[in-house]
Amino acid sequence: MSMGALIWFVIFLIGALLFFGVAAYAAINGMRDLRELLTRVKKTDKRTGL
Amino acid sequence: MNFSTLDLVIIIVYLLFAMGLGFWAKRFVEDLSGYMVAGRRVKVSLGIATFVATELGTITFMYFGELGYVTGFSCFIIGILAAVAYSFVGSTGFIIAGLRRYGVMTIPEFYEIRYSRKVRLLGGIILFLGGVLNMGIFLKFDGIFLTEVMGFGPDALLVVMTVMLLIVISYTILGGMFSVVITDFMQFVVLSFGMLIATIAVLWNLDWGTLASAVTEHLGEEGYDPLVNPRFGWMFIVWILISNVAAGALWQPGTSKALASESPAVAKKVFFYTGLTFAGRAMVPMVWGIAALAYLGPGQPSAAAMPKMLSQLVPTGFLGLLIAGMLAASMSTYSAYLLAWSSVIARDVIACFRPTDFPEKTTIWITRIAAGIIGVFLLIFGLFYQIPDTAFQYLFITGAMYTAGALGCVSAGLYWRKANNVGAYTALVMGAIAPLGFLVLEKSRDLLPEQFLFITDVNIAGLLSFVLAATGMILGSLFTQASHPAKTITRAEVP
């Protein structure tokens, strides 16, 4: 394998790790944010009667 | 071909679930802000998920896969440029923090605060045209993907795509940004999983050495060095870097995620972390495209090669999950784009013909009707329009129609006190000229005199749009300071 292919491999690896790493983080914590968002809207509904 | 009944069942169950979730979200819409920016309550992790899902459609996989197939590793530069640009916007808050502080829902709304209602109207029209033309090819490329992966004929495909579009239009029309955020999150999880499966399947069958050998054999040095590859070069790199900064800060479907954030600080974090994913977002499908070159060899239709390879390498069952992931990606992109462009036509074009805005309920209804009409346009345009160059370049040139002028108007509006109405008009018009010239003249390249041929080079037209817009803003403002003094924003004008 040439040096060029090796360099692009390392860059790809970093890019892919960052993508799937951030995706895993956002998927786990996003669920909590989503639940909170919907709960707050429901509370607003009760308060305003909408 | 590995597509089976099991895969079909997975896809149908997924589509029904997504539809149910989208309709369920309607109950959370309380008012216009709830409909368009989810009440501005979106936090960091949810913001990242919905932003990534918006910016990842099947079209994204298709154009990056196509680039990987025709240019090898050298196209990885695009992923690096996108990551640098979006992380820059996120870490500095360039434009997005300012826009979020003003509390606008669409970008042209800022034009009215900083310039005038007429500038907002012109900006709204250009944004709408550029955005809808940009979105016009999504359906076509999704079609090519599904045809190749599922092995259905083109006729069945048209039906599948129409059904998918109808589902997305209906839940976006009813639930607005709440539907977009909730379904985006679910679709983000499914599409990330689908991408992981496809990448493992590809690299399991074809190791990096095999990919490198194929690139060396079929593309040579052009497959490794973006400066040597004739599709890229310095002009392309500068254009795409500026374009990514502009798109990152000002592309309505993405920026609406910043505008929906809880605060300017949350908006910055969402953009920074999403920026980190942008290298992988590009390189993962590019590797699939390179794998298609190694597996199928050159000479295949460039857009169809990647999905064709996936249909043969990804095992039964997993193929259904992958397609569900791709459908998820498409639906989340369609819904966010539909909402963005229909919001713009309702608030920044139709409403601007009146001295005051419509009541909130009327705006929501106009937005809903506009989303339906845009959906019909997508079906017709996508089926009949033949794109020039690669899909990637078409998307960036149609995007430049709006982002070039918008970058001049918004950045000058936020950071330069002398920016005035004349500068804004000039920037918007001059920014749109070069891309529009490219789209029209590219079809009649043979009839053009030699001195005008440069405009049919997509990279020149793209870069020129930003140069012309910036020049228009600076000169237009400086020469007319006496007759058109720059407006100062008062506290009362901030929504």
Side-chain angles (χ1 to χ4, degrees), chain A residues 5 8-9 27 29 33 36 40, chain B residues 43 45-46 185 208 224 262:
Chain A
W8 284 126
F9 176 67
N29 292 291
D33 287 358
E36 205 175 304
R40 281 167 66 182
Chain B
K43 290 191 169 183
S45 300
L46 186 58
F185 179 73
W208 199 263
Y224 289 94
E262 211 174 39

Side-chain angles (χ1 to χ4, degrees), chain B residues 237-249:
Chain B
I237 290 174
V238 175
W239 168 41
I240 295 300
L241 185 62
I242 298 172
S243 201
N244 266 304
V245 171

Side-chain angles (χ1 to χ4, degrees), chain B residues 1-3 58-67 69 140-151 198 202 285 287-293 295-296 300-314 319 322-323 326:
Chain B
M1 193 66 61
N2 293 332
F3 191 77
T58 302
I59 178 78
T60 322
F61 296 106
M62 288 296 286
Y63 66 68
F64 282 142
E66 182 185 32
L67 277 176
Y69 183 77
K140 181 174 201 156
F141 274 74
D142 288 4
I144 298 171
F145 182 88
L146 288 173
T147 311
E148 293 298 332
V149 175
M150 295 163 93
V202 165
V287 164
W288 302 349
I290 297 169
L293 179 68
Y295 190 72
L296 303 168
Q300 299 282 330
S302 58
M306 181 273 283
K308 192 173 182 179
M309 177 273 306
L310 286 179
S311 75
Q312 294 175 29
L313 290 187
V314 179
L319 199 57
L322 171 67
I323 296 172
M326 294 299 128

